[in-house]
Amino acid sequence: MKLSCPDRVGIVAAVSGFLAEHKGWIVESQNHADPESKRFFMRQEILAESLRFDAEELRKRFESIASEFAMDFAVSDTAVLKKVLILVSKQAHCLDDLLYRLRSGEMEFNLQAVVSNHEDSRRFVEWHGVPYHHVPIETGNREGGFREMDKLFERYLPDVVVFARFMQILPAWMCEKYPRQMINIHHSFLPSFVGARPYHQAYERGVKYVGATCHYVTSRLDEGPIIEQDAFRTNHAHTVEELIRIGRDIEKAVLARGLRYHLEDRVLMNGIKTVVFA
Amino acid sequence: MKLSCPDRVGIVAAVSGFLAEHKGWIVESQNHADPESKRFFMRQEILAESLRFDAEELRKRFESIASEFAMDFAVSDTAVLKKVLILVSKQAHCLDDLLYRLRSGEMEFNLQAVVSNHEDSRRFVEWHGVPYHHVPIETGNREGGFREMDKLFERYLPDVVVFARFMQILPAWMCEKYPRQMINIHHSFLPSFVGARPYHQAYERGVKYVGATCHYVTSRLDEGPIIEQDAFRTNHAHTVEELIRIGRDIEKAVLARGLRYHLEDRVLMNGIKTVVFA
Amino acid sequence: MKLSCPDRVGIVAAVSGFLAEHKGWIVESQNHADPESKRFFMRQEILAESLRFDAEELRKRFESIASEFAMDFAVSDTAVLKKVLILVSKQAHCLDDLLYRLRSGEMEFNLQAVVSNHEDSRRFVEWHGVPYHHVPIETGNREGGFREMDKLFERYLPDVVVFARFMQILPAWMCEKYPRQMINIHHSFLPSFVGARPYHQAYERGVKYVGATCHYVTSRLDEGPIIEQDAFRTNHAHTVEELIRIGRDIEKAVLARGLRYHLEDRVLMNGIKTVVFA
Amino acid sequence: MKLSCPDRVGIVAAVSGFLAEHKGWIVESQNHADPESKRFFMRQEILAESLRFDAEELRKRFESIASEFAMDFAVSDTAVLKKVLILVSKQAHCLDDLLYRLRSGEMEFNLQAVVSNHEDSRRFVEWHGVPYHHVPIETGNREGGFREMDKLFERYLPDVVVFARFMQILPAWMCEKYPRQMINIHHSFLPSFVGARPYHQAYERGVKYVGATCHYVTSRLDEGPIIEQDAFRTNHAHTVEELIRIGRDIEKAVLARGLRYHLEDRVLMNGIKTVVFA
């Protein structure tokens, strides 16, 4: 269960009183009061077996408290795997990484399909028994490509679309159609080096670290709410190619962590920022 | 307010219900349920002005809940600064660091005195208007030195004794007399390199990082509960002297963070481990 | 070309004079003088096309200088890929990681075969067109298993054997038979937590970081020369299972970096320590 | 000795041959060939006692080689301490840090004076026996303030001016008058958050790390060549004040490292980037 509402006295008491009354066993509980936005954020992980009813019923019974405190709230059942669509272009290191985590059981989600503007990863994806859709984004007909892609979104109705190094800029209408549902890995330590070829920009600037950022996609390029970041030390001796190689390892780790937070409902929105109950 | 107790349903509800009843405004609230020890840990930071009574009264009123749940609990008033004694030998980088944080207002505590087995830091400490006690620990009469040191402890009754690179091993009786009241900075990434000359040990072993560890002092050398750690990359080109230099910066930062956690009552004990609500 | 020898005046002059005389274009050049062992270490990466002869001829012509300075030296041709055998048990994250790096061209080596005491990874390895050998190590007949494994080593004559989370302890005779040819990834920040179940040890001790170490295998368990290490922050809220998950990402990255250094002849031995020209 | 020149065959041979001929004992030697700018960079640390002449004579004798290879080169004698002027505003953590390193002998330089647009640090600086100059920078007469400051520069003729959190933007003429002689610590991970209040910017953007950058001052604000950087993890729970506190520790460490590199002549310029032989 995750929720946010205007901050005031008694929120925790109301929520925890409600849960205690129904004998809900709290496995993990986190909250955050933002002094600036004056909002309160909370995440409660409750052992399903400790309740005598299901997630849907929990949601219903909680509604009177939610309306009393003007809460945005959501209840999700971890037994129901989230539906995921992965978008990829040519570089497949993030895709490979996520597929290993999936098939080894480290991460749990329902991978519906992989969509790509290239054919390169088909054989590997299909070996996993996962459908692979090739949707070309052609210079003369980019919009057509995205329309076709959107049809796949409407067909699969994924909970999350993961941009695992998908190197095309989505049209604004598409970004706005799926708010907080599309997660991107950008290959720089944002807000440094927005846009194309960030490793080249980092090389030109002579920075001493390269990094990666996992964020929600919005219609403003690389300005979506940041979920997770990391960086790794470099020096003058590294060529652009080496920065790219070093960066791949950061990208994989950062996307995996960011996606895990999202899948486990650990990310709440606070304006254009995130609250991540890691 | 910090507390720990056996885990069960209803703890958060009871505590937050109690606070809500008294209109306590929760600034920060954290908790942790340890699945192994089956204990529950909680820290509540409450705005003093939101309550109609003081810390002592809060403690009293809370006692019935505390006994119901078999809680270890403590309430402290942040307006009452903790009394601190700093122990130092010759190397003064941690002492200098803490004194700057104190005089710039970054950290707040009541520094009663500095105690040292050397005279080196006297002038600098006294410039701050802080008493400086020189207590020699002589090879032939170590016990006598520690007895004298203990008299200072008994005179000042500090809440915390900080070993800011104090290079003498305390006798067991002294360690046991002040449990969870003495904080040490050890110049290695424990449990690696226990004991003397850890940077030399690190150099001999050829490790690729050196680190530091802030921990509570117990009678078992360098085995006390760890509060905070950090490490920094090194390589084959670093001499022992360079490892020592690099290490000093880690020691300063790790001790300052660990001490802050302790002063702000963010550290709870879970057997021989700590729960740090950072 | 890599070399080490007793330190004295004139080594760099002799080596670089020799290379300049043959118009050798130095792409990368590193050296290190160890003040303690009084040895000098050097690595020169020379553009093959800039020389009028091959690696074998270079070796011959260099011999008079090498003997003058009592050098240990080796010349290797990067066009000749190193032969690699990977050993794995059940956990396949490092194997998967190396296979992706290999098939994407990020790392270049000649993967001869994967050897395992389990069948689990067969399908995935064979999909890559790489032979998979299952060699059971049975409790009653461990020695027999290792003898069989050694036959594979003798058949393939690998330049390097990579222990990509191979969970069996090799007999001493085998460790000694292939010195500096076997690379292990140990799942702790050595010398902390030697031996079995290091994440459990780390959890019990309450450390604030978990790490991994890539090292050469010697007959003394987890005491071989360290090639590369890294660590990641944890806290009291992480269970052992989460430490293991976090650790996997460090293990993958550390093994990949360590193996790359070895494959690119960037690792020289200085007693029980390494000099890594990263 | 440090030098840079167009890359070609024979540079190392010429330099090391020259040094060997004069029995120069090389303590540390590093070089870098930049494939893009096609320049070669080198730093040689030579034991003074191993030469039969001084730095000035070395310079003279080396000139024919330098002109043959069109080298920019400089020889400096580590026995001659560099003259340093420190500029500071109100926040004194970097100043305090450098003063401790100086008085403990960790760093060696000739601190001529501290210049500030405030009086705050006078007592502490003068306690060290170092002159303190208060030069107000007033809104109506900023230029006048800087003219007065420049007079101090002309009087002291420092080798380096260190901006240890000096919060005024220098006029362009002053930046250009002292190229590669002024070192600044900027309180963000550049190029993120240029200009004023970077921690506020970082807070607004919701980044997951804050950092600091040590760079040479040029007339383009915060765009000078980067010498050193670092970053530290933060999260949603950190207020701006906490980011500032965390940042101070990074600033101190990054400035100290960057300044050390400069003082030890480890920094060479490669266009707008640095080569740092750390």
Side-chain angles (χ1 to χ4, degrees), chain B residues 36 192 203 209 229-230, chain C residues 36 192 203 208-209 229-230:
Chain B
E36 209 189 353
S192 291
Y203 178 80
Y209 277 82
Q229 299 189 284
D230 220 330
Chain C
E36 208 188 355
S192 292
Y203 178 81
K208 302 303 183 188
Y209 276 83
Q229 297 189 288
D230 221 329

Side-chain angles (χ1 to χ4, degrees), chain D residues 53-73:
Chain D
F53 41 79
D54 67 3
E56 186 47 42
E57 180 67 20
L58 179 68
R59 207 175 286 125
K60 255 186 228 154
R61 297 199 185 195
F62 190 69
E63 244 154 38
S64 65
I65 291 175
S67 83
E68 187 191 335
F69 288 88
M71 288 172 178
D72 283 338
F73 89 106

Side-chain angles (χ1 to χ4, degrees), chain A residues 36 192 203 208-209 229-230, chain D residues 36 192 203 208-209 230:
Chain A
E36 208 188 356
S192 291
Y203 178 81
K208 303 303 182 189
Y209 276 82
Q229 297 189 287
D230 220 328
Chain D
E36 208 188 353
S192 292
Y203 178 81
K208 302 303 182 189
Y209 276 83
D230 221 329

Side-chain angles (χ1 to χ4, degrees), chain D:
Chain D
M1 176 191 285
K2 61 181 187 179
L3 61 88
S4 73
C5 62
D7 199 7
R8 49 172 268 202
V9 165
I11 306 169
V12 180
V15 176
S16 57
F18 168 83
L19 290 172
E21 188 193 328
H22 294 100
K23 308 285 180 223
W25 183 277
I26 300 169
V27 177
E28 201 181 318
S29 158
Q30 288 144 307
N31 56 62
H32 169 59
D34 180 12
E36 208 188 353
S37 66
K38 310 239 180 287
R39 281 189 78 77
F40 180 83
F41 303 85
M42 186 179 237
R43 178 182 184 272
Q44 301 273 7
E45 199 171 322
I46 305 143
L47 200 66
E49 298 89 77
S50 68
L51 294 171
R52 287 175 317 274
F53 41 79
D54 67 3
E56 186 47 42
E57 180 67 20
L58 179 68
R59 207 175 286 125
K60 255 186 228 154
R61 297 199 185 195
F62 190 69
E63 244 154 38
S64 65
I65 291 175
S67 83
E68 187 191 335
F69 288 88
M71 288 172 178
D72 283 338
F73 89 106
V75 176
S76 66
D77 185 346
T78 57
V80 181
L81 294 186
K82 289 209 169 51
K83 291 178 289 177
V84 172
L85 224 53
I86 295 180
L87 265 60
V88 71
S89 290
K90 278 178 169 289
Q91 293 214 51
H93 53 285
C94 287
L95 173 66
D96 175 83
D97 184 75
L98 292 178
L99 284 173
Y100 178 76
R101 291 180 203 266
L102 185 64
R103 79 175 187 269
S104 68
E106 181 188 299
M107 285 178 87
E108 295 187 301
F109 55 89
N110 173 4
L111 180 56
Q112 302 177 298
V114 172
V115 180
S116 178
N117 55 331
H118 296 281
E119 278 287 1
D120 306 55
S121 298
R122 178 181 295 280
R123 211 183 131 242
F124 186 63
V125 169
E126 291 183 346
W127 181 81
H128 286 83
V130 172
Y132 189 87
H133 300 282
H134 177 214
V135 181
I137 306 291
E138 283 153 16
T139 319
N141 184 22
R142 292 175 44 80
E143 190 65 15
F146 288 117
R147 290 281 164 206
E148 196 181 328
M149 219 167 247
D150 190 37
K151 274 183 208 150
L152 288 168
F153 289 14
E154 290 188 342
R155 172 173 146 202
Y156 284 111
L157 295 172
D159 295 302
V160 203
V161 179
V162 179
F163 291 55
R165 296 298 310 270
F166 180 68
M167 306 307 286
Q168 297 287 333
I169 297 169
L170 252 63
W173 62 264
M174 219 166 156
C175 297
E176 281 152 19
K177 191 170 170 185
Y178 304 97
R180 309 287 169 263
Q181 274 182 277
M182 303 198 294
I183 289 179
N184 184 42
I185 180 73
H186 181 71
H187 38 320
S188 86
F189 202 71
L190 290 175
S192 292
F193 311 129
V194 165
R197 299 165 56 92
Y199 292 121
H200 290 78
Q201 294 182 53
Y203 178 81
E204 294 303 326
R205 183 60 183 93
V207 290
K208 302 303 182 189
Y209 276 83
V210 291
T213 306
C214 177
H215 64 94
Y216 288 113
V217 176
T218 65
S219 57
R220 305 182 59 165
L221 185 64
D222 301 331
E223 294 193 14
I226 294 172
I227 305 171
E228 176 64 343
Q229 299 189 287
D230 221 329
F232 199 84
R233 185 166 274 271
T234 66
N235 62 50
H236 61 266
H238 290 119
T239 60
V240 175
E241 289 68 35
E242 287 168 314
L243 295 188
I244 290 172
R245 168 170 58 73
I246 292 168
R248 275 197 291 261
D249 283 353
I250 314 170
E251 294 164 28
K252 292 187 296 188
V254 167
L255 175 58
R257 290 205 297 269
L259 179 57
R260 169 184 307 280
Y261 296 150
H262 180 88
L263 292 174
E264 295 180 356
D265 291 297
R266 294 178 180 280
V267 189
L268 287 82
M269 298 308 310
N270 183 15
I272 59 160
K273 299 196 288 185
T274 59
V275 170
V276 180
F277 290 128

Side-chain angles (χ1 to χ4, degrees), chain B residues 31-32 34-37 189-193 202-210 215 222-231 233 235-239 257 261 272-278, chain C residues 31-32 34-37 189-193 202-210 215 222-231 233 235-239 257 261 272-278:
Chain B
N31 56 61
H32 169 58
D34 180 12
E36 209 189 353
S37 66
F189 202 71
L190 288 176
S192 291
F193 312 129
Y203 178 80
E204 295 301 328
R205 182 63 182 92
V207 290
K208 302 305 182 188
Y209 277 82
V210 292
H215 64 94
D222 301 330
E223 294 193 14
I226 295 172
I227 306 172
E228 176 64 343
Q229 299 189 284
D230 220 330
R233 184 167 273 272
N235 62 50
H236 61 266
H238 290 118
T239 60
R257 292 205 296 270
Y261 296 150
I272 59 160
K273 300 196 287 185
T274 59
V275 170
V276 180
F277 291 129
Chain C
N31 56 63
H32 170 58
D34 181 12
E36 208 188 355
S37 67
F189 203 67
L190 289 176
S192 292
F193 312 129
Y203 178 81
E204 295 301 328
R205 183 62 183 92
V207 291
K208 302 303 183 188
Y209 276 83
V210 292
H215 64 95
D222 299 330
E223 293 192 15
I226 295 172
I227 305 171
E228 175 66 342
Q229 297 189 288
D230 221 329
R233 186 168 271 274
N235 62 50
H236 62 265
H238 289 118
T239 60
R257 291 207 296 271
Y261 296 149
I272 60 159
K273 299 197 287 185
T274 60
V275 170
V276 180
F277 291 128

Side-chain angles (χ1 to χ4, degrees), chain B residues 20-64:
Chain B
E21 188 193 329
H22 296 98
K23 307 284 180 226
W25 183 274
I26 300 170
V27 178
E28 202 181 317
S29 158
Q30 288 143 308
N31 56 61
H32 169 58
D34 180 12
E36 209 189 353
S37 66
K38 310 240 181 285
R39 281 189 78 77
F40 180 83
F41 304 85
M42 185 178 237
R43 178 183 183 271
Q44 300 272 11
E45 197 171 322
I46 306 142
L47 202 65
E49 297 87 80
S50 68
L51 294 171
R52 287 176 318 273
F53 40 80
D54 66 3
E56 186 45 44
E57 179 68 21
L58 179 67
R59 207 175 288 125
K60 256 187 228 153
R61 298 200 185 194
F62 190 69
E63 244 156 36
S64 65

